[in-house]
Amino acid sequence: MSEIIIQGKEMLTMPVIDVKATGNNIKNIIKSKGFKISDVQARCGFNTPQAIFKWMRGDAVPTIDNLIILADMFDVPIDKIIIVTRV
């Protein structure tokens, strides 16, 4: 586990989802795998692509259910979709 020392006190860092980087990653995976936004929309069962655009802009992250769908669709593990940083 990573540690940060601030003025002589140890503080553990916490893993957090980097929402912007994750969104950019989703956008890049969609493109690199040759999918269209409409493909993702259909697979996730959305009536509109708005949620996918929110993911790609980094305004939101997919739910666990949608991450499972994306991982299956892209043939990658979930941890290759989500970008985690420590703060």
Side-chain angles (χ1 to χ4, degrees):
M1 190 174 292
S2 297
E3 295 180 1
I4 297 175
I5 298 177
I6 299 177
Q7 295 180 349
K9 296 181 181 180
E10 285 185 23
M11 296 183 66
L12 297 178
T13 61
M14 299 294 294
V16 296
I17 296 173
D18 184 327
V19 181
K20 294 285 185 194
T22 296
N24 194 46
N25 196 39
I26 290 170
K27 183 166 60 172
N28 290 336
I29 294 171
I30 290 170
K31 184 178 179 180
S32 71
K33 296 285 184 173
F35 289 109
K36 299 177 191 165
I37 301 301
S38 60
D39 299 327
V40 178
Q41 176 186 336
R43 186 72 77 86
C44 290
F46 297 144
N47 291 327
T48 68
Q50 302 322 100
I52 301 158
F53 290 125
K54 285 182 180 181
W55 300 342
M56 294 189 322
R57 283 193 311 266
D59 293 339
V61 292
T63 62
I64 295 294
D65 291 347
N66 287 321
L67 280 171
I68 292 168
I69 291 168
L70 293 175
D72 181 69
M73 182 177 186
F74 301 154
D75 194 30
V76 298
I78 290 173
D79 64 345
K80 295 295 181 191
I81 299 172
I82 298 173
I83 306 298
V84 176
T85 58
R86 290 193 168 270
V87 294

